[in-house]
Amino acid sequence: RAKRMRENIERTRLQNKVKVTVADAKTFQPSLPPLGFLLDAPCTATGTGRKNVDVMRRSEAEGKKMEEELVNTTVGIWENAKHWGSKVCVFSVCSLSVREGESQVDTFLRMGGVEIDRIMPEEVPGFEGSIDAQG
């Protein structure tokens, strides 16, 4: 994924503005506080079922166990990242599970050091119907 991200950054001519770092986010310490970062959280990838049908073949028990481990990992990542001094964190998952998405964000809010900057429908022309009351 990092390779593709770097290619996209070059294609959009943002290489002087964006730095891609691959590291263990539970222990990573940046030399300078990043203005922002992407937390592409580990997840069960249920949102990729159309192109990755094996994801949908997991048993319910297997999926729940995996989800529990991933949620705990993401909380560990946030515990570290919230001290970096960044102003923006973009949280991303490819899971359809509320527990891995919206509930994770609720957990981060309770842990402190973060607030939501809601996306307004007028900010995403053509996708206005995709934005709910939570942004």
Side-chain angles (χ1 to χ4, degrees):
R1 284 199 245 179
K3 181 182 179 213
R4 179 170 287 164
M5 185 180 284
R6 284 185 183 101
E7 289 168 354
N8 286 335
I9 289 168
E10 281 187 32
R11 182 179 51 78
T12 56
R13 298 185 179 119
L14 294 172
Q15 61 269 33
N16 294 328
K17 297 182 186 286
V18 178
K19 179 181 178 186
V20 177
T21 302
V22 178
D24 182 344
K26 291 181 287 184
T27 58
F28 176 71
Q29 292 300 317
S31 55
L32 295 170
L35 295 175
F37 64 97
L38 168 65
L39 174 48
D40 186 11
C43 69
T44 55
T46 54
T48 67
R50 187 170 177 205
K51 70 176 184 178
N52 186 5
V53 293
D54 290 340
V55 167
M56 305 313 280
R57 292 188 179 133
R58 289 187 194 122
S59 70
E60 187 173 338
E62 188 180 33
K64 291 282 185 203
K65 181 178 185 233
M66 185 180 202
E67 186 177 278
E68 182 70 30
E69 291 169 4
L70 295 169
V71 166
N72 289 337
T73 297
T74 303
V75 169
I77 291 169
W78 179 248
E79 276 292 340
N80 184 42
K82 73 179 186 176
H83 301 290
W84 293 347
S86 297
K87 300 293 183 198
V88 176
C89 169
V90 176
F91 178 77
S92 168
V93 291
C94 57
S95 171
L96 301 175
S97 166
V98 170
R99 184 146 186 251
E100 292 180 88
E102 293 93 330
S103 293
Q104 288 278 69
V105 173
D106 290 340
T107 298
F108 301 157
L109 289 168
R110 285 193 304 276
M111 291 168 69
V114 64
E115 61 185 56
I116 292 179
D117 184 5
R118 300 193 190 299
I119 298 170
M120 304 309 292
E122 60 272 11
E123 294 176 309
V124 287
F127 294 93
E128 298 88 348
S130 301
I131 308 300
D132 65 14
Q134 295 178 319

